[in-house]
Each structure stands twice: as structure tokens, then as C-alpha cells.
Amino acid sequence: MICGSKTKSYLKSQNLKILGQGKLNGIVEISGAKNSALVLLASSLLTNEKIILENVPFLTDIEKMGNILKNLGVNLVRKNNQLEIDPTTISIKELPYELVKGLRASFFCIGALLTKFGEAQVPLPGGCNIGSRPIDEHINGLIALGADIIIEEGIVKAKTRGNKNRLHGTHIKLNCPSVGATETLIMAASLAKGRTTIENAAREPEVQDLCQMLNKMGAKIYDSGKETIIIDGVNKLGGCTHKVIPDRIEAGTFLIAAAATSSSITISPVIPHHLEAVTNKLQESGSKVTIKGNSISIKSKEIKGVDIETAPFPGFPTDLQAPFTTLMTIANGESKITETIFENRMNHIYLLNEMGARIKLNKNVAHIKGVKTIKGMNLVGSDLRSSAALIIAGIIAKGSSKIYGLEHLDRGYENFELKLKKLGIKITREVSKSTFEKNEYKIKTKSEKFSKLEAA
């Protein structure tokens, strides 16, 4: 049986076949951060000079953003993990719906296009179905910077107010520390006239990476990584060469996989303080974590249950909640997982229960009683991080599993199964000649409590 969600879309004709109860051993090379690379690509629109981005991962999301830039007239040349971006030929200020519908990060382009050209048209964003992610903070901030904005038929149309061709500095206080809104407004403010302060700004490493690159380009941004960011607008930005930071979410996923399989691995390169919330919880749950330079080693045996609550950086990242939940299914004792960022990010819970986990879900709080083992199954990942969680579940399970929905996984993990195979996991990507309609494989509920929970 394939467990998945009720929808009229079709499964990709690929799956990962995993032989369970495997062990990881060796060194993992961590790729560049997807969430950083996406916004850095958008920020290249702010200049008329060439940008060279290094350590760019091969991902479908990166390919989508590249196609968006090409549609605007940007010239892109890829050499392995390096992208040469030439924005001097930009000819369009509108993003087409067919290119942006599946990529939420495409909306970041609005800040760059608006502040550079005085106008922009961007469709409302798409991406993983993990809950409501409103763009109110983006819109309100751009209005405060001097934009007139209307939304018609799903298109956000922005234009600098009156006859002015330039946004103006202002004070913005975000209602919540939204990463996307912080990044959009930093880009918009970088070429605005005067000083902008963003209060209650996101502090994530990806925001800091954006500020670092913009400053290389000639921006004047201060206090990135703090709750209040100050931007003094400049007249123009130049080109630069910049290396994308390592992906802390990929790094955390491999650390959690090692803990779940009582394994020993080393991950590198990483920026260890980006992972403190994760490594602290792994140590609390029984793993030995050793940090040396830009590498982290983990050695795990028995795991005990611990509680986590997701929070903006430097708290425990929501993107690692699903993998950590999988770890807790086989931990000794009880644990509680609280998701505070996205209301629909517990879609993996029912699938883990199908595998034999003992999890009770009350809204966005999962109460877990650890079990000795879970059983392999055929499962459909419903979003990027739940797909990674199910793969970890397949690795620790008794028997074999097949994980479908790889279109999600390929958005955010570069060569995931190849890296796992190198570490000793028996995992193979299979290609099927046929496709399966998802609503043929609606989850069969085993309890009334979960009857309304779907992995959508």
C-alpha cells in the first residue's frame, strides 16, 4: 500500500527504495545553502555588473530561480557549482505565473525590481504546502518605503509613489521576524534614499549571508544578525564574487540521521554556531558531538526522549522539526515536539504512526512515546522536509521502504541518496514507467483522532 495525500495531481515516476536498519559511517560533504542561494540570485537584480556566486547547489528550486532570472533577460552561465550572473541585459520587470507558481522565493524579486526600476509585477508565491505564509509583512514594508501596491487577479503590482523613481528610507517594525520579508525589505532599502531601520528583523544565517554579499556590492547595511538592522541607501551597487554559506538544514538532517541509526559520521564544511540549537538537542538526547574547525562529528548509541519547540533563529529550526520527530519515534521514554512556525507542518505524523510510531497529535503539539522499532512501508512525502524525515524513517525501519514524492526532496537536498549511499546506506532511486494518481492512495485512518489529518 502507498500512503499519501488526497489530491488530483500525479506522483513523479521516481522513488527511493531503502533497505532499513542501516548504519552510517564516513564523511559528508555539505552543499551550499538552498535558502541562501535563492535570495542571493534575486539580489543580483540590484546591480548592472556581473555577480559570481560560488558553492551553488544543484537543486530544482535553484533551476527555477535561474529560469525566472533568464526570463527577465539575465544571462546565466553555470560552471559546476559556480554561477556567473550578468544582469546588464534585463528587459522585463514582470514575472510570469507559470515560472513562479511553485517557488515561494520568487517573490523576493519584487524588492529588487521595485527599488531598481521603480515598478514590478510579481504573482503571489507558491512552494510547499506547509501552512499559511502571508506576504503582508512584505507588502506593508514596501508601502512604508514609498510604494503604491495593488493586488489584482493574483498579481502584486508595485510602483514607487507619485513621480518619484526611488523609494525612501523609513522605520519598519515587523509583526513577526519573517525571513522572507526581512530579505525583501533589505534589498528594497539598499537602493532607497536615506536610512531604513528594520525592527524585529529575522536573524537567520541566510539573512546575514545576504547582507554580507550586498555589502560586498557596495551597500551600507549594519547589524545583520541582530533584531534591528540599519540600511543606509546608496545610489548604485556593483558586482562581486561571493560564496554561498553551507546548508545548515542539510547538515542537521545528516546529524539527525546518524543519531537515529546509532552511527558515527563527520559533516563538513559547516558553520558550527549555525547549528547550535540542533547539536545541543542531539547532545541532550544522548549523542556525543565534537566540533573541530568547520566540521562536526557525531557518535550515537542509545537515544532518550527530549522536548523541542521550533523558533526563529537562534532557536530550533522548523525545517528540522520533521527529521527530529522521526528520531524521537525510537527514543527511550517520551518527548514533546511543538511546531510554532507553520500550522500545517505536522503532516509526517500520521505516516510515522503507520510505520508503528506512537504519536498523539494535539493541534501542533506531538506527544511521542518511543518504540523499539518501526516497520518499512511505501510512503509519499508531502513537502520537502517531511520527505527527508520519511527517508530517515525508512533507514531505521525494519524491512524495506519506498519513498515517493521526490519532486519535493529534489527541491532542497543535493545528491541526497548518493551521499547516503556513500555512507553505507542501501538506497536506490528507481524510475517507474507508470504514474499513480494520488487520490487512489488516500491514507486509511486507524483512529478517529487522526481521521482529519492528511499529508497534503
Side-chain angles (χ1 to χ4, degrees):
M1 180 182 71
I2 298 177
C3 290
S5 58
K6 184 181 180 181
T7 171
K8 293 182 180 179
S9 62
Y10 288 81
L11 296 175
K12 292 292 184 182
S13 56
Q14 296 184 2
N15 68 79
L16 289 179
K17 183 178 180 180
I18 305 166
L19 183 62
Q21 298 188 318
K23 293 275 189 180
L24 285 67
N25 183 58
I27 300 173
V28 186
E29 183 178 352
I30 300 303
S31 301
K34 177 200 79 145
N35 289 336
S36 189
L38 288 170
V39 71
L40 296 178
L41 281 165
S43 71
S44 69
L45 298 171
L46 289 164
T47 182
N48 290 320
E49 299 179 17
K50 287 185 179 180
I51 298 286
I52 295 177
L53 273 186
E54 300 174 341
N55 200 32
V56 179
F58 282 92
L59 301 167
T60 56
D61 270 10
I62 300 297
E63 183 181 7
K64 288 177 183 178
M65 182 62 89
N67 289 336
I68 288 169
L69 296 187
K70 289 178 182 178
N71 183 266
L72 292 170
V74 176
N75 186 41
L76 292 179
V77 178
R78 178 185 276 278
K79 298 176 182 177
N80 297 319
N81 287 96
Q82 176 181 294
L83 269 180
E84 183 178 288
I85 309 163
D86 184 357
T88 57
T89 54
I90 292 179
S91 56
I92 300 174
K93 302 158 196 155
E94 303 175 11
L95 302 187
Y97 174 76
E98 60 270 17
L99 288 181
V100 308
K101 62 182 179 180
L103 182 64
R104 182 173 178 80
S106 61
F107 195 74
F108 299 159
C109 295
I110 193 170
L113 292 171
L114 177 62
T115 196
K116 184 174 180 179
F117 296 111
E119 60 179 311
Q121 292 190 28
V122 180
L124 292 171
C128 274
N129 182 20
I130 56 175
S132 175
R133 296 191 282 183
I135 59 168
D136 297 8
E137 300 277 27
H138 303 248
I139 299 299
N140 293 336
L142 292 174
I143 291 172
L145 285 164
D148 287 326
I149 296 179
I150 59 173
I151 302 176
E152 291 181 341
E153 297 180 349
I155 306 294
V156 180
K157 300 178 180 180
K159 197 170 186 178
T160 51
R161 193 167 296 131
N163 296 322
K164 299 177 181 178
N165 292 321
R166 194 175 180 189
L167 298 174
H168 57 76
T170 188
H171 178 268
I172 299 169
K173 184 175 182 180
L174 298 176
N175 292 321
C176 66
S178 162
V179 174
T182 300
E183 292 170 335
T184 293
L185 299 177
I186 286 171
M187 285 187 280
S190 64
L191 290 176
K193 184 177 181 180
R195 170 168 286 193
T196 298
T197 59
I198 303 175
E199 192 177 340
N200 197 27
R203 302 162 61 188
E204 270 70 5
E206 295 78 16
V207 174
Q208 298 177 49
D209 201 25
L210 170 64
C211 293
Q212 184 180 1
M213 179 168 133
L214 289 175
N215 281 341
K216 285 183 183 179
M217 295 165 66
K220 294 181 178 180
I221 305 170
Y222 314 99
D223 296 334
S224 69
K226 297 183 179 180
E227 291 183 359
T228 299
I229 297 176
I230 299 171
I231 308 109
D232 286 331
V234 296
N235 291 324
K236 67 175 183 177
L237 295 172
C240 75
T241 297
H242 185 76
K243 187 175 183 178
V244 179
I245 59 173
D247 195 318
R248 63 193 174 104
I249 305 303
E250 181 196 20
T253 302
F254 277 104
L255 290 175
I256 292 168
T261 54
S262 300
S263 301
S264 300
I265 65 168
T266 296
I267 60 171
S268 179
V270 293
I271 301 174
H273 78 265
H274 290 175
L275 287 153
E276 280 184 6
V278 180
T279 53
N280 287 344
K281 283 298 178 181
L282 288 171
Q283 287 177 308
E284 185 183 340
S285 64
S287 295
K288 181 181 178 182
V289 176
T290 304
I291 298 172
K292 186 176 181 181
N294 67 348
S295 69
I296 299 177
S297 298
I298 184 171
K299 186 175 183 180
S300 300
K301 288 187 178 179
E302 290 189 2
I303 298 297
K304 64 180 180 180
V306 297
D307 298 342
I308 67 165
E309 181 173 319
T310 62
F313 188 84
F316 195 96
T318 179
D319 283 348
L320 287 175
Q321 176 262 115
F324 201 89
T325 300
T326 299
L327 171 63
M328 289 295 97
T329 63
I330 56 164
N332 291 324
E334 300 183 6
S335 58
K336 182 173 73 171
I337 310 291
T338 305
E339 174 58 53
T340 69
I341 309 297
F342 296 121
E343 70 272 17
N344 288 343
R345 205 163 211 176
M346 302 300 255
N347 296 323
H348 49 286
I349 298 296
Y350 188 82
L351 299 181
L352 292 174
N353 279 340
E354 286 282 305
M355 299 178 78
R358 296 177 64 189
I359 309 174
K360 291 184 178 180
L361 186 63
N362 182 11
K363 295 183 179 179
N364 270 4
V365 180
H367 297 271
I368 306 171
K369 288 185 178 181
V371 296
K372 289 185 178 181
T373 186
I374 56 177
K375 64 180 184 293
M377 291 187 67
N378 295 349
L379 304 165
V380 180
S382 60
D383 61 68
L384 171 55
R385 306 307 173 184
S386 75
S387 297
L390 294 179
I391 290 170
I392 295 174
I395 292 171
I396 64 179
K398 184 178 181 180
S400 64
S401 300
K402 288 187 178 182
I403 309 300
Y404 294 83
L406 301 190
E407 67 272 24
H408 301 298
L409 183 78
D410 293 340
R411 290 183 49 234
Y413 289 94
E414 183 179 42
N415 297 326
F416 194 47
E417 72 269 20
L418 296 179
K419 292 180 180 182
L420 286 170
K421 187 177 291 187
K422 187 177 179 182
L423 293 171
I425 299 303
K426 295 182 179 179
I427 181 170
T428 306
R429 183 173 290 236
E430 298 181 330
V431 179
S432 172
K433 293 182 180 180
S434 59
T435 57
F436 301 90
E437 193 172 2
K438 284 187 182 179
N439 65 345
E440 293 179 11
Y441 301 100
K442 181 181 177 182
I443 298 172
K444 293 182 179 180
T445 58
K446 286 189 176 180
S447 67
E448 186 65 23
K449 176 164 283 195
F450 290 94
S451 63
K452 295 183 179 179
L453 179 63
E454 294 181 347

